[in-house]
Amino acid sequence: MFLKARTILAQALGANDPTTKALIPPIHMSTTFVRDADNGYESGYVYGRTDNATVKQVEAILANLEGGAAAMMFSSGMAAATAIFLALERPTHVIAPTVMYWGFRKWLAEIPKFGHSVSFVDTSDLEAVQAAVRPGQTGLFWIETPSNPVWTLTDIQAVAEIAHRAGAVVCVDSTVSTPLITRPLDLGADFVVHSATKYLNGHSDVIAGGIVARAESDFWSRIQNIRGQIGSILGPFEAWLLMRGLRTLDVRVREQSKTAQRLAELLLRRDEIASVLYPGLPTHPGHAIAVKQMKGGFGGMLSIRMRGGERAAVEAASKVEVWTRATSLGGVESLIEHRASIEGAGTPCPPDLLRLSAGLEDPDDLYFDLVNAFSSSRARVKPLREAIAP
Ligand SMILES: Cc1ncc(COP(=O)(O)O)c(C=O)c1O
């Protein structure tokens, strides 16, 4: 029977304990496994650095959600993303977005030291993507969509066609969309990468990452070897917590998307704001692609650019009381961040930008907290009914 993602998530793909019949599966903490008398390992488990039964349960859920052949969990999103590059066998030219998660962009800028080369292009511009291809050298396209922190949309299907014509593979960082909104493998991608630290876990208490492959291959086996060799597998307790978080992913993402859409529409009317960046707004440059490849909502991430520049942005962030000033995204509590100051020198992030991660609080409380933070006085703002009247 074909089950919808929501059912798979709520029941964690039916993971339970066959021995005790415990509904919630145990955590397999053992680092080593008993060898059989005939010197074999009939269970398939040898040592915890290469495999773990709790981690496998999460991998099965993620592979199923993304419609992939296999998934591998890592100790962080960065560990997952970098494993792909460590598994490249020969010097490779990589095409990656100009604007993307800053931490990974900084790491990518340094891959020439591993013998690879990288071209940063605006991946929403298909002509620019095509022009960056180096025949015979380009082996990997990296996409992040929507991409941090301006939420640029990249047409996954179109880039996959360019990549496959060039004989290259496509990896999509789909952290912000989650598998509930976009399934990159269905659109032609070869690998999907997640920082499971964000929406998949959703409670700001686990650092984790994952890769899902469309098909098993020699390259996939090399990634698996890398994880086993360097020991970047997800810890069992983190995997168990992640499985608990995943059970509510559907309701969380649906509510967070609704709240982000509502906030984006309300904030668009504020004089203090020069622009609202959210894929669900028709004014967003990537809206048409978002409509094409994001289903059931446009995600919980948005950014605002303050008319008063950097000072106004930093000041507004300093005054919030309901939003929490912190980095990261995708948790149940709403976060606000002056992104340029955390990214530091060389960032393409505008200094007037505040990144907002919508959580599960009441949307009215979130909106009014921002409005209060925008005003220099602490005067009470109008009730919502008045504020949204046309
Ligand atoms: C889009 C995206 N990808 C990857 C990462 C890296 O994930 P982690 O912090 O789990 O290593 C982040 C972290 O902020 C991110 O926002």
Side-chain angles (χ1 to χ4, degrees):
M1 183 180 167
F2 175 78
L3 296 176
K4 297 227 165 75
R6 185 172 176 171
T7 308
I8 289 164
L9 286 164
Q11 301 187 353
L13 206 61
N16 51 33
D17 180 24
T19 313
T20 63
K21 303 288 176 196
L23 175 64
I24 300 303
I27 312 176
H28 291 272
M29 293 300 289
S30 188
T31 55
T32 192
F33 298 83
V34 179
R35 199 164 186 164
D36 305 325
D38 65 2
N39 221 23
Y41 278 105
E42 207 197 334
S43 72
Y45 292 99
V46 178
Y47 188 51
R49 201 180 64 228
T50 44
D51 239 334
N52 174 280
T54 307
V55 174
K56 267 189 191 295
Q57 283 170 339
V58 176
E59 289 172 344
I61 297 169
L62 191 58
N64 196 295
L65 286 181
E66 289 288 9
M72 229 184 287
M73 299 310 298
F74 289 80
S75 54
S76 70
M78 283 296 281
T82 53
I84 293 175
F85 292 82
L86 297 177
L88 291 170
E89 264 190 328
R90 52 191 165 77
T92 301
H93 173 240
V94 177
I95 293 177
T98 316
V99 181
M100 59 184 283
Y101 166 55
W102 181 242
F104 192 50
R105 190 190 192 279
K106 263 170 63 177
W107 187 86
L108 276 182
E110 292 184 14
I111 59 169
K113 71 185 176 199
F114 298 110
H116 307 304
S117 52
V118 58
S119 300
F120 291 105
V121 300
D122 174 0
T123 50
S124 68
D125 177 348
L126 297 176
E127 283 178 20
V129 173
Q130 181 64 63
V133 173
R134 295 185 199 158
Q137 291 176 40
T138 305
L140 203 154
F141 285 62
W142 189 269
I143 299 172
E144 182 183 315
T145 182
S147 75
N148 266 286
V150 291
W151 320 115
T152 306
L153 266 291
T154 294
D155 186 332
I156 299 171
Q157 198 165 14
V159 171
E161 281 167 19
I162 296 173
H164 293 156
R165 271 202 304 274
V169 296
V170 180
C171 303
V172 179
D173 182 338
S174 198
T175 298
V176 169
S177 270
T178 80
L180 300 171
I181 292 181
T182 303
R183 294 218 315 179
L185 302 181
D186 293 348
L187 300 170
D190 301 286
F191 299 97
V192 186
V193 175
H194 285 282
S195 166
T197 313
K198 316 298 183 197
Y199 289 99
L200 299 187
N201 181 59
H203 293 76
S204 306
D205 53 12
V206 169
I207 298 274
I211 312 175
V212 186
R214 168 208 285 284
E216 302 211 32
S217 62
D218 289 348
F219 187 50
W220 184 246
S221 304
R222 287 203 298 281
I223 299 172
Q224 208 156 21
N225 284 340
I226 297 282
R227 187 185 72 167
Q229 284 163 347
I230 67 176
S232 52
I233 191 171
L234 184 62
F237 182 52
E238 284 75 9
W240 187 87
L241 276 177
L242 176 54
M243 195 157 30
R244 186 169 71 162
L246 278 167
R247 287 176 191 268
T248 55
L249 179 68
D250 186 278
V251 273
R252 282 188 283 108
V253 168
R254 209 145 9 130
E255 284 302 313
Q256 285 165 303
S257 294
K258 266 198 266 174
T259 296
Q261 180 81 39
R262 181 98 183 103
L263 287 173
E265 286 166 7
L266 289 173
L267 292 168
L268 204 54
R269 306 171 190 199
R270 301 294 314 182
D271 288 342
E272 302 90 339
I273 295 176
S275 61
V276 179
L277 308 171
Y278 184 64
L281 290 178
T283 48
H284 192 69
H287 184 64
I289 299 168
V291 168
K292 194 172 106 176
Q293 71 187 28
M294 299 179 86
K295 304 287 173 217
F298 298 96
M301 295 304 301
L302 67 155
S303 295
I304 50 178
R305 295 190 63 181
M306 301 299 293
R307 219 179 269 291
E310 180 169 11
R311 245 185 64 190
V314 174
E315 200 180 316
S318 76
K319 286 191 190 158
V320 290
E321 290 174 1
V322 178
W323 294 78
T324 302
R325 277 179 306 282
T327 195
S328 200
L329 56 101
V332 295
E333 56 294 281
S334 293
L335 303 183
I336 185 167
E337 186 178 34
H338 182 248
R339 212 40 219 166
S341 52
I342 193 134
E343 294 190 0
T347 173
C349 178
D352 55 13
L353 181 143
L354 287 172
R355 187 178 82 172
L356 306 176
S357 171
L360 290 184
E361 301 90 338
D362 188 284
D364 294 357
D365 289 343
L366 293 171
Y367 174 68
F368 285 116
D369 191 40
L370 286 175
V371 171
N372 276 331
F374 295 155
S375 63
S376 43
S377 71
R378 282 266 176 205
R380 270 207 37 83
V381 292
K382 290 188 270 181
L384 186 63
R385 271 185 308 282
E386 258 180 71
I388 62 174

